[in-house]
Amino acid sequence: MTGFTPLDIEACGVLSPAGFGLTALGTALRTGQPGHADPAGIGTEPFPARTPVRVVPDLAVTERLGRKGTRNLDRTTVLGLLAVQEAITALGEEFGEDGRDQTGVVFGTSAGGTGAIGDFARDTVVQERPYLVNPAQFSNLVLNCCASQIAIRHRFTGVNATMVGGHLSGLLAWRYARNTLRLGRARRLFVGAVEELSPQSAWAWRRSGALRPRSAVGEGAAMFSVTPAGQGKAPLARVVACEVGFHAPSGTAGQNKAALALASCVERALDTAGVDRQQITTVAVGASAQSGLGEIEQEALALALGDSENRQQLVISDVLGETYGASTALQLAALLAVWQEEPVSDAGEYGLVTSYDRDGGLGCLLVQRPN
């Protein structure tokens, strides 16, 4: 399928270590203040002592979602449910009872609920036979648990899909959403990605040595209400291109080729949307927290966009930590948060979200700011 059908972002629900909502995220990015760092109450195992973390504060599940059906939800599902609830609240009266059969969920994640998976697996070893695990926790182990719970709670009977692709999970969700809306299989989708913090994920980052020294492990969720362009309420932004690709780095020469591959990906997005690189005013980068990958991303941007004194760069990992599967969704939310605080230019403005994964996945999202 060639070309890209533009998609309008009607509303955004975002939870990050900076707090709830775009305003909290924008303030944190502007001030450079690191997000909440106390993991108290998360998981049953200790976090690695020398690995800093960034945590979404004040989830208050019962107060925000009620008691019904929330007792056994894992953290990934709670984050996803709250993000969609925030997006629906932002839609206001535009979101009614009609059309829920044409409303769906396209959700990105790296591995689902890592804390629930780790705790359940541990119980199968340490509990007495016949392996007295908690069966109520089992649904949290499947990858589509969060997307399913969102659909059940809000009675969405349209498309329901979960995309798993490391750092690119959020971009893959946008590609899937594009195809779904273009083929007329839904009128509105909630698109985004979630990544939870757990002792298991923090230890995995610690043992892998993949993060830069002093980089934090973070979490967050961002879900966007999306329609085909011109068919919903006045948009916060319009997604005009989304490109993904692959190139595995191997040594210095491989890194140069990887930068060329990501630069080519960005150039394809610009060509698809008919956008000049000088119109890119903001770039939200995604690989800065990982050793060796940030340099590839920066080299690719220099090749594809050249130099510009008027272009700002957002580095969300400085504030939110490494958010892995949710990173591109949170980069997009950061872009919207910054635009929300800045005056609109008469000239056309575009933002770019880029991502490069250690496994070789790469991609970008090109977004237009409405005048």
Side-chain angles (χ1 to χ4, degrees):
M1 187 170 288
T2 60
F4 190 90
T5 303
L7 304 176
D8 280 353
I9 299 174
E10 301 177 291
C12 170
V14 57
L15 286 64
S16 74
F20 281 53
L22 291 175
T23 300
L25 179 57
T27 300
L29 291 167
R30 186 181 68 253
T31 62
Q33 180 68 34
H36 188 69
D38 182 4
I42 300 178
T44 57
E45 301 295 326
F47 282 80
R50 290 179 291 172
T51 299
V53 296
R54 300 288 179 264
V55 185
V56 177
D58 191 27
L59 285 185
V61 178
T62 303
E63 288 84 350
R64 296 180 185 277
L65 295 175
R67 293 185 180 279
K68 185 178 179 181
T70 58
R71 181 177 179 182
N72 292 302
L73 297 179
D74 71 324
R75 193 169 179 85
T76 290
T77 304
V78 168
L79 290 169
L81 284 169
L82 289 173
V84 170
Q85 183 169 282
E86 290 281 309
I88 290 174
T89 300
L91 279 173
E93 62 184 16
E94 301 289 337
F95 189 79
E97 289 295 321
D98 295 337
R100 293 188 186 232
D101 61 335
Q102 288 293 310
T103 302
V105 180
V106 185
F107 169 81
T109 179
S110 65
T114 54
I117 294 170
D119 290 342
F120 196 91
R122 182 179 182 276
D123 283 349
T124 64
V125 177
V126 302
Q127 297 292 347
E128 295 181 3
R129 292 188 177 187
Y131 311 110
L132 297 175
V133 297
N134 182 358
Q137 295 291 340
F138 184 77
S139 62
N140 294 323
L141 310 188
V142 295
L143 285 169
N144 66 341
C145 175
C146 181
S148 302
Q149 287 288 345
I150 293 169
I152 292 168
R153 174 167 286 262
H154 297 289
R155 304 189 304 283
F156 299 154
T157 56
V159 169
N160 193 279
T162 299
M163 313 303 292
V164 178
H167 271 100
L168 270 67
S169 299
L171 296 183
L172 298 179
W174 278 103
R175 301 270 297 182
Y176 191 97
R178 181 280 306 263
N179 291 343
T180 300
L181 292 170
R182 183 154 92 169
L183 294 172
R185 294 175 180 167
R187 292 209 303 258
R188 172 183 279 144
L189 293 173
F190 286 89
V191 184
V194 178
E195 185 74 31
E196 72 168 35
L197 176 71
S198 68
Q200 290 84 353
S201 63
W203 276 108
W205 283 111
R206 173 75 181 175
R207 292 296 178 91
S208 72
L211 294 183
R212 294 178 184 278
R214 294 183 293 281
S215 291
V217 182
E219 66 173 357
M223 298 294 290
F224 308 89
S225 175
V226 178
T227 66
Q231 296 185 23
K233 63 181 293 186
L236 299 175
R238 176 166 292 173
V239 177
V240 295
C242 181
E243 295 288 336
V244 295
F246 176 83
H247 189 282
S250 177
T252 303
Q255 290 186 358
N256 293 336
K257 290 180 179 178
L260 286 171
L262 180 55
S264 175
C265 187
V266 172
E267 289 166 352
R268 285 201 310 273
L270 295 174
D271 289 343
T272 297
V275 174
D276 187 272
R277 65 182 187 175
Q278 296 302 324
Q279 292 177 279
I280 305 294
T281 57
T282 309
V283 179
V285 295
S288 301
Q290 294 205 49
S291 302
L293 301 192
E295 290 81 356
I296 293 174
E297 192 174 35
Q298 292 298 325
E299 183 179 348
L301 290 171
L303 290 169
L305 303 181
D307 296 327
S308 174
E309 295 180 354
N310 299 321
R311 185 182 304 129
Q312 65 175 326
Q313 194 166 110
L314 303 177
V315 185
I316 67 166
S317 59
D318 290 347
V319 174
L320 310 183
E322 171 55 60
T323 50
Y324 200 32
S327 56
T328 54
L330 290 168
Q331 288 166 249
L332 177 57
L335 189 63
L336 300 183
V338 170
W339 277 350
Q340 180 178 270
E341 296 187 343
E342 296 178 345
V344 179
S345 168
D346 292 334
E349 286 186 68
Y350 290 84
L352 184 69
V353 169
T354 57
S355 184
Y356 183 66
D357 193 75
R358 190 166 297 279
D359 292 333
L362 52 87
C364 69
L365 192 72
L366 184 59
V367 187
Q368 181 182 16
R369 184 182 188 183
N371 290 323

